């Protein structure tokens, strides 16, 4: 039986996408199929859907931010992952990072790049929208940062990120992390349990 590969629509600017990334390997082991990682541009999704980041939407709402912290603590315990380290440069413009994710797919270094970019955003946080800082960080993770930077500026790479983002919105996405199992959409890291259950049922 071939199980449906779940899709993970992500942007490095989302700490919850990072936590999902940490939780996914153990889920893959249990379900016997790998997630398909789909780079999208969160800023583009927000613009298309009139959405805003949690930092904006939670501002001034009593108890909601506190509950989200409780929910995150539960997630960390359930999936046995480490908390992220808040990036003091947040919000970070992720346009180049996401274009480089597309470039990394073309160059055959996608998984290594995703690990590195998430690491330098949420484990040892840096100002990753500064090209010099990003290049140094990615090079320290064993990547040819200059090659990826150059490839990221090519029209086909830019077009692919736009296409991924537009298709995500067309399918119902409004933020990151978003997951799909077939046509079924799930939003938020807490939905990973439901993603796992649905894959096992199919």
């Amino acid at each position: 039986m071939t199980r449906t590969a779940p899709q993970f629509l992500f942007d490095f600017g989302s700490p919850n996408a990072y936590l999902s990334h940490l939780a996914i390997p153990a889920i893959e082991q249990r379900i016997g199929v790998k997630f398909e990682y789909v780079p999208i541009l969160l800023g583009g999704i927000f613009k298309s859907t009139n959405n805003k980041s949690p930092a904006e939407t939670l501002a001034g709402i009593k108890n909601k931010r506190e509950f989200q912290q409780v929910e995150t603590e539960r997630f960390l315990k359930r999936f046995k992952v480490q908390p992220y380290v808040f990036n003091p440069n947040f919000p970070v413009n992720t346009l180049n990072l996401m274009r480089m994710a597309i470039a990394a797919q073309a160059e055959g270094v996608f998984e290594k790049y995703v690990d590195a970019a998430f690491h330098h955003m949420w484990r040892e946080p840096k100002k990753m929208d500064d090209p010099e800082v990003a290049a140094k960080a990615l090079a320290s993770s064993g990547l040819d940062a200059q090659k990826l930077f150059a490839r990221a500026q090519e029209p086909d790479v830019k077009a692919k990120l736009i296409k991924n983002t537009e298709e995500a919105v067309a399918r119902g996405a409004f933020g990151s992390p978003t997951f799909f199992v077939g046509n079924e959409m799930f939003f938020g890291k807490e939905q990973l349990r439901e993603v796992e259950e649905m894959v096992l049922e199919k």
Side-chain angles (χ1 to χ4, degrees), residues 157-202:
V157 168
K158 293 179 178 181
K160 181 73 165 84
L161 181 60
I162 291 170
K163 184 171 183 279
N164 283 0
T165 304
E166 289 176 344
E167 287 180 350
V169 172
R171 294 174 76 189
F174 53 85
S176 173
T178 294
F179 307 93
F180 282 95
V181 181
N183 292 320
E184 293 285 334
M185 188 182 98
F186 303 85
F187 174 72
K189 65 185 184 299
E190 290 77 18
Q191 294 289 306
L192 272 170
R193 282 186 301 177
E194 280 72 19
V195 170
E196 181 173 346
E197 286 172 8
M198 178 159 278
V199 173
L200 291 172
E201 285 169 7
K202 282 187 176 288

Side-chain angles (χ1 to χ4, degrees), residues 107-122:
E107 296 293 331
V109 292
F110 184 61
E111 287 188 17
K112 186 175 184 178
Y113 174 77
V114 169
D115 282 341
F118 269 132
H119 178 86
H120 295 296
M121 276 289 294
W122 300 111

Side-chain angles (χ1 to χ4, degrees), residues 19-53:
L19 294 179
S20 300
H21 174 64
L22 295 183
I24 280 171
I27 297 172
E28 289 176 332
Q29 290 247 315
R30 291 194 293 270
I31 64 178
V33 65
K34 289 186 72 79
F35 279 64
E36 178 192 349
Y37 278 55
V38 181
I40 49 92
L41 187 64
L42 194 50
I45 285 187
F46 283 172
K47 190 174 180 181
S48 295
T49 61
N50 201 30
N51 195 5
K52 295 180 175 65
S53 72

